[in-house]
């Protein structure tokens, strides 16, 4: 059992709203966080459209996807559970169906960085999870069990992002802010890469450029968070906003 601080709860509420505002989540998809590296529980909203999530909707889940709360949970909570189980370094997970990313899950053209802001994608094509390898050819494509979640986490490996064929993607981070940044810029990069592919053969960031750009920019993800947070602040119930310094 862990407890979310008021600030952590406020940040998770804000992350839901930010990801909707940035076009990563819509009526579906979800974002979770845990309170400490390696913690064996994580916090995720009950089954609700992300744009409607408030602090009272956040439920603690264990790594088998269970909660003590009777309210309905997300069908795909196993995505989060199994990534946290496999990756002690991961502090937050975003699962989305963001529209520019999905095409890269169904063709052989790998998602690769074309933007310096997406250097975190690294020097290799982002892995794609093929659900039919574990669920056969008549599944609903959803990650609705621990074994399916574990298989997806295996495809993710140590990558910051994995695509899910015909479905969406996951982005992870060492902080909530980093996971949100990566989800937003994965979508932006996919859009830019598709545009470039329509014009000709893109020149992708080299592995060295991707690493250097990531090293420079990763420390600035908080600036993006601050701007995005300001944009959604008017939509958040006053009681769910982060307390000021010294108020917690
Ligand atoms: Zn999904």
């Amino acid at each position: 059992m862990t407890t979310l601080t008021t600030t952590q709860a406020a940040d998770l509420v804000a992350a839901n709203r930010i990801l909707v505002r940035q076009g990563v989540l819509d009526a579906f998809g979800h974002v979770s966080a845990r309170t400490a590296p390696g913690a064996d529980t994580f916090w995720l909203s009950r089954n609700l459209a992300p744009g409607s999530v408030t602090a009272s909707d956040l439920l603690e889940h264990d790594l088998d996807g269970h909660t003590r709360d009777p309210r309905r949970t997300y069908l795909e909570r196993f995505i989060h559970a199994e990534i946290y189980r496999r990756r002690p370094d991961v502090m937050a997970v975003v699962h989305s169906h963001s529209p520019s990313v999905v095409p890269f899950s169904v063709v052989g053209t790998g998602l690769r960085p074309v933007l310096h802001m997406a250097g975190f994608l690294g020097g290799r094509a982002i892995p794609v999870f093929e659900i039919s390898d574990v669920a056969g050819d008549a599944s609903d494509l959803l990650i609705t069990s621990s074994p399916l979640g574990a298989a997806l986490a295996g495809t993710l490996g140590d990558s910051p992002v994995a695509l899910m064929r015909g479905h969406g993607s996951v982005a992870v981070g060492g902080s909530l802010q980093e996971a949100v940044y990566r989800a937003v810029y994965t979508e932006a990069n996919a859009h830019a890469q598709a545009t470039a592919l329509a014009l000709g053969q893109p020149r992708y960031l080299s592995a060295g450029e991707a690493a250097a750009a990531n090293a420079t920019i990763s420390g600035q993800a908080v600036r993006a968070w601050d701007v995005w947070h300001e944009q959604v602040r008017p939509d958040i119930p006053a009681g769910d906003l982060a307390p000021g310094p010294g108020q917690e």
Side-chain angles (χ1 to χ4, degrees), residues 225-247:
W225 170 273
D226 288 345
V227 170
W228 296 333
H229 192 226
E230 276 307 307
Q231 293 170 344
V232 299
R233 184 178 288 272
D235 305 330
I236 297 176
D240 289 344
L241 286 167
Q247 287 183 296

Side-chain angles (χ1 to χ4, degrees), residues 74-94:
Y74 287 123
L75 290 173
E76 295 194 288
R77 59 195 180 279
F78 305 99
I79 293 172
H80 304 260
E82 294 300 328
I83 289 173
Y84 289 124
R85 195 195 301 279
R86 186 183 175 102
R87 292 277 302 269
D89 60 305
V90 166
M91 289 293 285
V93 176
V94 177

Side-chain angles (χ1 to χ4, degrees), residues 154-191:
T155 295
L156 175 70
D158 61 2
S159 175
V161 176
L163 309 189
M164 303 155 73
R165 193 263 302 163
H167 177 172
S169 61
V170 291
V172 304
S175 67
L176 181 59
Q177 288 80 0
E178 184 173 63
V180 167
Y181 175 93
R182 286 174 172 178
V184 171
Y185 277 99
T186 296
E187 167 65 18
N189 189 86
H191 183 77

Side-chain angles (χ1 to χ4, degrees), residues 10 13-14 16 18 33 41 45 48-49 64 69 74 85 90 95 114 118 141 175 179 200 209 229 242-243 246:
V13 168
N16 275 273
I18 287 168
T41 64
S45 172
L48 200 62
D64 294 320
D69 193 290
Y74 287 123
R85 195 195 301 279
V90 166
H95 166 57
V114 295
L141 301 185
S175 67
E209 288 170 340
H229 192 226

